[in-house]
Amino acid sequence: MKADAVRDIVFAHAMETAAPSDALPDAARREAITQEVLHALGQPATEGRAGQAAFGQFLQTRAARIIAASNLPADVRQLWQAPPAMARWAPAAILIGALVAGFVSHRITDPHRVDLLSLSLLGIVLWNLLVYLWTVLHGALRLARPRRQATAVLQPAQSAPADSGKPGDGPPGWLQRLRGKAMPGLRGTTLRRMALAFERNWWQISRPARHAQWLLWLHLGAAAMAAGALASLWITGLTREYQVGWESTFLSAAQVQQWLNALFAPTQWLQLTSPWSLSDIQPLQGWVSNDRPAATGAQLPTMGVGERWVWAYTALLAVLVIVPRLLLALWQGLRGRWLASHMALPLNQPYFASLQRDFGGLATQLVIVPYSMEITPQRKVAVEHHAATLYGAGAGITWRPGLAYGAALPDMGTAAPAQTVLLVNLAATPEAEIHAELLAQLHRRHGSSSQLWLWTADFAARNSGAPRRLQEREALWQDFARQNGFTAHLISATSS
């Protein structure tokens, strides 16, 4: 789904989950809008790809009408129309800062010299090579151990604290702290709480596209830094005669020759430079003027030795930094556009499940699979009460036989619209060999129609005097679930 449509839906979600307000349409008006949209759509498909597209159109049209039916202040509407994203000045700042940094680094380290072992030029090359190595290793690791990316969970607006101006009262995260001074006239109101919830949810759900956008500008910044260093190298050469050479306390001429040939191997392979011989390197130990001709065997023997090395470093930075970084920036730009037009909504959340019932006329079906825990009558009542709270009293619940510790997930032949829920006791310590494999099986078989619920009552009862330990265990499971592409839902004996 495209970013504009998702933004409208997320904003409508914040409005509908906020406390009642005169500026927001009430439940009766929202129900009337739902019926109007369903009537306008006629009899859309409810299954397969066509059904998914029709449901997305239903969500988008309904969200637009709910927003239009509201009476929001101008600053709240401005927040919806221009949600938090990369500042407009950030790309220009990155490019200009990188260009200046590259220019200044060369001017400071080698103001009037072409140093064969220049720290500024070689540092840029080696840093970029390390980035390429990390990128390759990270990509290979993700291919070898693919992980499902968890869809961001939309938090209801009533769970977002209304900022009162006191430290710690605002919503968590640096973004909300920076925006905490906005909308001063709404401080402590329902509309402010709703706006902060929208900001937080949109920031989470647009993270992949925003991350690709940041990588795009960072790659362009790396290319600009190399271009700045080359600009300094060439501009200085227009008004100064370079002294060319190298010096080292620990390296011999033969070692410098080997090092430079290894570094310039890509340009030599492309025949942009010739291999350096010992007769090229040895006479340059110390410093010589540019008017000295290049050694015999150089690719361009008519050049002075300084000009030859300027061209050599230009080719090196172009081949190893500028061109690869521009290609990576192009890739991230295309990836960011794709992600911005294919944003995912957490359709298995109760908010969307309720709308799915309205759209398809079907109640949510839940298939609950207990794992390594006994289902007592009390536990069964609490879990079913939790399900009814989330999905309504009409939700259908099917209990499957419990799985023993270490058992694989059986093929249950669950119908496509049903949600398969794995119920695990919080008292169990999450294990990569056991629980991660089980979650992987759950995702492979049921995809986005799968959930992880955690029974917290037993562990909470055993640690009633140690609330910090309970919080640590909950955080451990939530982090473990997130790493495996799930969002953990906590259930207590009094869950409501």
Side-chain angles (χ1 to χ4, degrees):
M1 193 175 293
K2 293 184 178 180
D4 290 344
V6 173
R7 185 178 68 234
D8 289 353
I9 295 169
V10 173
F11 192 67
H13 169 272
M15 294 172 62
E16 293 188 77
T17 57
S21 170
D22 293 339
L24 304 177
D26 57 18
R29 178 61 182 135
R30 296 197 303 267
E31 179 62 28
I33 290 175
T34 300
Q35 297 303 320
E36 292 171 5
V37 174
L38 290 173
H39 179 74
L41 292 176
Q43 295 182 339
T46 58
E47 297 182 358
R49 288 183 175 272
Q52 294 176 1
F55 183 56
Q57 182 63 34
F58 164 72
L59 292 176
Q60 182 180 356
T61 305
R62 181 180 178 276
R65 295 196 182 189
I66 286 178
I67 295 171
S70 63
N71 185 25
L72 298 173
D75 45 5
V76 177
R77 284 192 175 272
Q78 177 63 25
L79 176 64
W80 157 58
Q81 294 168 351
M86 178 185 290
R88 293 183 178 181
W89 52 264
I94 291 173
L95 293 181
I96 295 174
L99 191 68
V100 171
F103 190 93
V104 170
S105 67
H106 179 261
R107 294 283 292 184
I108 293 176
T109 55
D110 301 301
H112 308 306
R113 292 178 174 179
V114 175
D115 188 353
L116 274 59
L117 303 178
S118 169
L119 289 178
S120 60
L121 300 179
L122 295 181
I124 291 175
V125 172
L126 293 178
W127 166 57
N128 280 274
L129 290 178
L130 288 175
V131 171
Y132 303 153
L133 177 61
W134 179 88
T135 302
V136 171
L137 292 178
H138 181 68
L141 183 62
R142 293 188 63 178
L143 289 175
R145 300 175 59 185
R147 286 181 177 176
R148 175 197 177 205
Q149 294 296 323
T151 304
V153 176
L154 301 186
Q155 298 294 336
Q158 293 194 58
S159 69
D163 188 82
S164 62
K166 299 179 182 179
D169 283 349
W174 65 270
L175 173 69
Q176 285 73 20
R177 289 195 294 271
L178 287 178
R179 313 251 324 176
K181 296 181 180 180
M183 300 176 289
L186 300 177
R187 191 175 300 276
T189 65
T190 294
L191 293 182
R192 180 175 180 80
R193 185 181 290 112
M194 180 205 74
L196 293 177
F198 165 70
E199 271 194 325
R200 180 184 57 212
N201 288 333
W202 174 253
W203 190 257
Q204 292 294 328
I205 211 163
S206 63
R207 176 181 294 175
R210 189 176 65 254
H211 183 252
Q213 189 180 29
W214 272 109
L215 290 179
L216 160 67
W217 291 109
L218 289 178
H219 286 311
L220 290 178
M225 179 177 285
L230 288 180
S232 174
L233 186 66
W234 281 89
I235 292 174
T236 303
L238 291 176
T239 58
R240 304 282 183 178
E241 182 181 9
Y242 278 128
Q243 297 292 310
V244 186
W246 63 276
E247 55 187 11
S248 174
T249 302
F250 303 106
L251 300 177
S252 64
Q255 291 172 323
V256 172
Q257 177 208 4
Q258 294 174 356
W259 159 250
L260 291 176
N261 276 329
L263 186 65
F264 282 84
T267 62
Q268 294 171 5
W269 182 75
L270 294 173
Q271 297 184 354
L272 298 176
T273 59
S274 300
W276 312 114
S277 65
L278 192 59
S279 61
D280 293 328
I281 305 302
Q282 201 163 23
L284 301 181
Q285 188 169 10
W287 303 97
V288 299
S289 62
N290 176 61
D291 57 6
R292 175 172 178 167
T296 304
Q299 187 169 339
L300 299 173
T302 58
M303 288 184 176
V305 64
E307 189 177 358
R308 179 195 179 193
W309 278 98
V310 169
W311 276 103
Y313 269 107
T314 301
L316 181 67
L317 289 178
V319 170
L320 290 185
V321 181
I322 297 178
V323 173
R325 287 289 194 165
L326 290 178
L327 292 176
L328 288 171
L330 176 62
W331 160 250
Q332 291 298 339
L334 295 174
R335 177 172 170 266
R337 291 189 64 179
W338 188 91
L339 289 171
S341 61
H342 293 79
M343 287 188 174
L345 287 167
L347 298 180
N348 60 345
Q349 281 192 234
Y351 172 81
F352 294 103
S354 175
L355 293 176
Q356 181 70 58
R357 289 200 305 271
D358 295 335
F359 177 75
L362 298 175
T364 303
Q365 299 296 318
L366 298 174
V367 178
I368 302 178
V369 184
Y371 181 78
S372 188
M373 62 178 293
E374 180 185 358
I375 301 301
T376 63
Q378 294 78 8
R379 290 176 175 175
K380 187 174 182 179
V381 169
V383 171
E384 291 182 351
H385 179 64
H386 179 77
T389 302
L390 293 180
Y391 295 100
I397 299 176
T398 302
W399 286 89
R400 295 289 187 179
L403 301 179
Y405 176 80
L409 190 71
D411 186 2
M412 295 174 289
T414 305
Q419 295 285 326
T420 303
V421 177
L422 184 67
L423 180 63
V424 181
N425 200 322
L426 184 73
T429 303
E431 302 176 56
E433 299 82 0
I434 303 298
H435 299 97
E437 177 60 27
L438 190 65
L439 292 177
Q441 294 174 14
L442 183 64
H443 173 250
R444 283 196 299 267
R445 295 185 184 179
H446 304 284
S448 60
S449 298
S450 55
Q451 300 185 49
L452 173 64
W453 290 5
L454 296 175
W455 175 259
T456 65
D458 298 346
F459 192 82
R462 291 205 301 266
N463 295 274
S464 56
R468 184 177 182 84
R469 187 177 181 188
L470 176 62
Q471 294 173 357
E472 291 174 348
R473 177 59 63 88
E474 290 177 351
L476 176 66
W477 263 106
Q478 289 170 342
D479 184 61
F480 179 81
R482 193 178 304 112
Q483 292 176 5
N484 288 277
F486 285 83
T487 299
H489 299 270
L490 304 177
I491 309 173
S492 65
T494 59
S495 182
S496 59

